[in-house]
Amino acid sequence: MSDRKEKKTVAVFDFDGTLTTKDSLLEFVKYTCGPFALYWGLFLMSPLLVLMKLRLYPNGKVKEKFFGYYFRGWKYSDFKQKGVAFAGVVDSFKRLEMVDILNTYLERGDDVCVVTASIQEWVEPYCCRIGILHVAGTLVEVDDNGLLTGRLKSKNCYGQEKVERFLKMMPNRDKYILHAYGDSRGDRELLAYADCAHKL
């Protein structure tokens, strides 16, 4: 038997655009703050969004400013509770064919991970709901009073940071065959790192 066959399989999935058909940050803002607040915030942030698209302003900094606009000063406990409730909303925009592929890995007993630039507090509850225990997302900062500062605690989980966060969950890289699924520029490094890359 070859060494390759002796190794277990690990599958890692991006979230937005891979397991879902919509951007979960925008959908979460709409869910918690309402459509008008979402569109007004997008209008105010439009100059930064343009600069980001032109790669003249860092992706993570734009996300931090956008996140802070809506959630700075929120009680972390309330924010986390909204994330749990949002798991039911994600079902309305999940990408069925990709969730079916994910379930195939789970049914075979393979390790399945989700690594995403989205905020962990609303991705993790949905992932737990569908049986995924290994989740890495962007982390938010909470002050000593239990309030969101509006800043990110971790690096934006994007690009090479996805590889680093994945390896914290799944070390011993020589012990498994890695399948990776992603759809965007932020997934390139993780896809390149995998043994079997599936670009949507």
Side-chain angles (χ1 to χ4, degrees), residues 47-111:
L48 285 179
L49 293 171
V50 170
L51 289 174
M52 181 187 74
K53 289 294 184 183
L54 295 173
R55 302 186 189 183
L56 298 175
Y57 199 83
N59 179 293
K61 289 295 183 184
V62 174
K63 174 179 285 185
E64 188 171 65
K65 287 180 181 296
F66 191 76
F67 177 81
Y69 173 78
Y70 292 105
F71 299 111
R72 183 183 295 111
W74 272 50
K75 287 183 179 180
Y76 178 68
S77 58
D78 291 343
F79 178 75
K80 194 169 183 179
Q81 191 173 43
K82 287 288 188 182
V84 171
F86 184 65
V89 179
V90 175
D91 273 329
S92 69
F93 60 93
K94 67 185 177 183
R95 189 180 292 278
L96 278 172
E97 67 274 20
M98 292 307 301
V99 174
D100 286 344
I101 290 171
L102 182 151
N103 283 332
T104 299
Y105 286 105
L106 290 175
E107 288 164 6
R108 290 195 320 220
D110 298 326
D111 287 322

Side-chain angles (χ1 to χ4, degrees), residues 91-152:
D91 273 329
S92 69
F93 60 93
K94 67 185 177 183
R95 189 180 292 278
L96 278 172
E97 67 274 20
M98 292 307 301
V99 174
D100 286 344
I101 290 171
L102 182 151
N103 283 332
T104 299
Y105 286 105
L106 290 175
E107 288 164 6
R108 290 195 320 220
D110 298 326
D111 287 322
V112 178
C113 310
V114 167
V115 182
T116 175
S118 286
I119 304 299
Q120 185 145 336
E121 278 76 6
W122 67 69
V123 175
E124 191 166 37
Y126 177 74
C127 290
C128 288
R129 179 176 176 152
I130 63 174
I132 304 167
L133 303 180
H134 305 291
V135 181
T138 301
L139 305 177
V140 297
E141 185 179 81
V142 183
D143 69 16
D144 294 338
N145 297 312
L147 302 178
L148 295 175
T149 66
R151 295 187 294 271
L152 303 180

